[in-house]
Amino acid sequence: MVIQHRHKFDELTGKSPQMKLVFQRIQEIAPNDVTVLITGESGTGKELVAQSIHNRSNRAAGPFIPVNTGAISRDLVGSELFGHQQGAFTGATETKLGKFEQARGGTLFLDEISSMDEATQISLLRVLETKKFQRIGGRRFVNADVRIIAASNENLLNEFQRNIRQDLFHRLSVFTINIPPLRERNSDIEILAEELLDNACEEFNKTINGFDRQASFALNRYNWPGNVREMKNVIQRAVLICPGKKIRLEHLPDRIRNASHSQQEIILPVGVTLKQAEQIIIRNTIHSAGGNRKKAAEILGISRRALYNKLKKHNSKKSE
Ligand SMILES: Nc1ncnc2c1ncn2[C@@H]1O[C@H](COP(=O)(O)OP(=O)(O)OP(=O)(O)O)[C@@H](O)[C@H]1O
Ligand SMILES: [Mg+2]
């Protein structure tokens, strides 16, 4: 689709001001061989951002090696990263290259670094400072010809800071990129949904043209705690169960359907005046926004001040 390409930056889709800022940061940081820290909730696209930085760097011809340090048992992280010499410990029957050596000439993407144990954090800091490391059980120093991009799920820097050694934190956080959660960038929801729909159709060999009004309303209302990854799963499932040409509300999971229940329809009886219709619409919108007038004004497409003025007018009419 033509529109999508305008809102793509490598594999990343987005047109919100927040994502444009992320794209700009990637462009600024990529060509400089510096360490980068990417923060953002789960599923916000940290790995895609890391890959994009790598592809735009002068290490692009080298490997991009992701390591999820949170998924490796703590006592194995060191050997996974730095490798080991034969006989370094029981079970080390042969010399094994670690990720630092596998990533030579390229980029090492360290995911979930706050889950690393203290000793590994210290080793990592040493590598960052000296650009050298030793295999476990080895004597020789090996050059660390890698660029490190680290990521953390903890969205807030200070939360992350609490779970990691201060010296490592300062070393890592010189260049940071924060990816805001999807619920804070509503203007990305629609283009992401369309793109994920296209991808899923291709994957499952189906032809679905889009979302009906209610489904797209629900996607917009839902707060996406699992961010883009959650949306991808939701849309894949919808594509699999949708028999027609449009995804409808019933093809979405309950939690998303429920998010849209509070405001599906406003009923206007025939015979009401335009003024009364306006009052009914405003009242129902405020109600469905849980009493939040700012949100109600947004849904209605008017300023908060305009909404207050209308409410004042209606109230003074009532008391006349
Ligand atoms: N802006 C985006 N445009 C297109 N696809 C995206 C975007 N952001 C995320 N995705 C997709 O969402 C999924 C999750 O992205 P990714 O693995 O990069 O997230 P993450 O932040 O690393 O998550 P986690 O913290 O759980 O590891 C992937 O399938 C990715 O392709
Ligand atoms: Mg990840």
Side-chain angles (χ1 to χ4, degrees), residues 11 13 42-48 111 153 192 228-229 232:
E11 293 301 307
T13 302
S42 183
T44 47
K46 294 184 292 296
E47 186 152 346
L48 284 188
D111 209 351
N153 257 323
L192 271 169
V228 188
R229 178 177 296 112
K232 188 172 175 173

Side-chain angles (χ1 to χ4, degrees), residues 108-306:
L108 186 60
F109 175 55
L110 299 177
D111 209 351
E112 267 325 292
I113 40 165
S114 53
S115 60
M116 271 185 197
D117 64 12
E118 178 97 7
T120 314
Q121 288 189 21
I122 294 172
S123 310
L124 178 60
L125 179 64
R126 201 170 308 137
V127 187
L128 286 168
E129 274 166 1
T130 62
K131 302 263 175 215
K132 283 183 173 48
F133 66 94
Q134 285 165 301
R135 293 183 193 145
I136 301 213
R139 283 165 203 273
R140 198 163 64 84
F141 278 93
V142 184
N143 276 335
D145 176 18
V146 295
R147 178 195 204 163
I148 292 183
I149 302 182
S152 172
N153 257 323
E154 282 140 321
N155 207 15
L156 300 168
L157 270 185
N158 51 8
E159 194 180 318
F160 172 63
Q161 198 174 359
R162 240 180 285 131
N163 291 320
I164 192 169
R165 286 177 58 93
Q166 287 298 296
D167 43 10
L168 180 59
F169 175 79
H170 290 303
R171 189 67 182 68
L172 286 174
S173 61
V174 181
F175 295 95
T176 60
I177 297 183
N178 174 254
I179 315 174
L182 193 51
R183 65 181 168 281
E184 284 173 20
R185 39 186 174 103
N186 267 322
S187 52
D188 290 337
I189 289 180
E190 200 177 316
I191 50 166
L192 271 169
E194 302 256 318
E195 155 140 344
L196 295 171
L197 178 65
D198 279 357
N199 296 346
C201 282
E202 199 169 316
E203 190 177 342
F204 303 124
N205 206 9
K206 295 193 71 162
T207 316
I208 297 169
N209 308 326
F211 304 86
D212 77 0
R213 206 173 48 82
Q214 284 189 320
S216 110
F217 182 74
L219 294 177
N220 269 293
R221 287 274 296 209
Y222 184 59
N223 76 344
W224 300 109
N227 296 294
V228 188
R229 178 177 296 112
E230 181 182 14
M231 187 190 268
K232 188 172 175 173
N233 294 335
V234 163
I235 289 177
Q236 284 188 332
R237 173 183 174 275
V239 163
L240 283 173
I241 61 177
C242 172
K245 295 278 173 246
K246 276 206 188 297
I247 304 281
R248 294 202 309 268
L249 201 56
E250 70 214 56
H251 306 133
L252 300 176
D254 284 349
R255 63 183 190 282
I256 295 175
R257 283 214 297 264
N258 293 341
S260 74
H261 272 168
S262 51
Q263 194 229 27
Q264 268 185 29
E265 276 170 351
I266 295 174
I267 310 230
L268 294 170
V270 175
V272 293
T273 64
L274 268 181
K275 277 217 174 73
Q276 287 166 330
E278 185 179 88
Q279 280 184 44
I280 295 170
I281 292 170
I282 290 177
R283 221 182 306 126
N284 280 280
T285 306
I286 294 177
H287 179 72
S288 89
N292 183 336
R293 293 181 178 191
K294 181 168 176 253
K295 205 163 182 183
E298 260 168 38
I299 296 172
L300 290 166
I302 58 177
S303 68
R304 203 151 30 136
R305 176 178 291 268

Side-chain angles (χ1 to χ4, degrees), residues 33-93:
D33 211 33
V34 292
T35 303
V36 184
L37 174 65
I38 305 169
T39 58
E41 287 179 14
S42 183
T44 47
K46 294 184 292 296
E47 186 152 346
L48 284 188
V49 167
Q51 178 84 60
S52 165
I53 293 173
H54 170 75
N55 293 347
R56 287 163 179 269
S57 74
N58 39 29
R59 294 176 171 273
F64 174 81
I65 307 280
V67 193
N68 186 346
T69 46
I72 306 168
S73 86
R74 283 191 160 207
D75 45 329
L76 284 181
V77 176
S79 131
E80 191 69 23
L81 289 178
F82 307 115
H84 58 246
Q85 285 306 125
Q86 185 178 14
F89 46 84
T90 333
T93 50

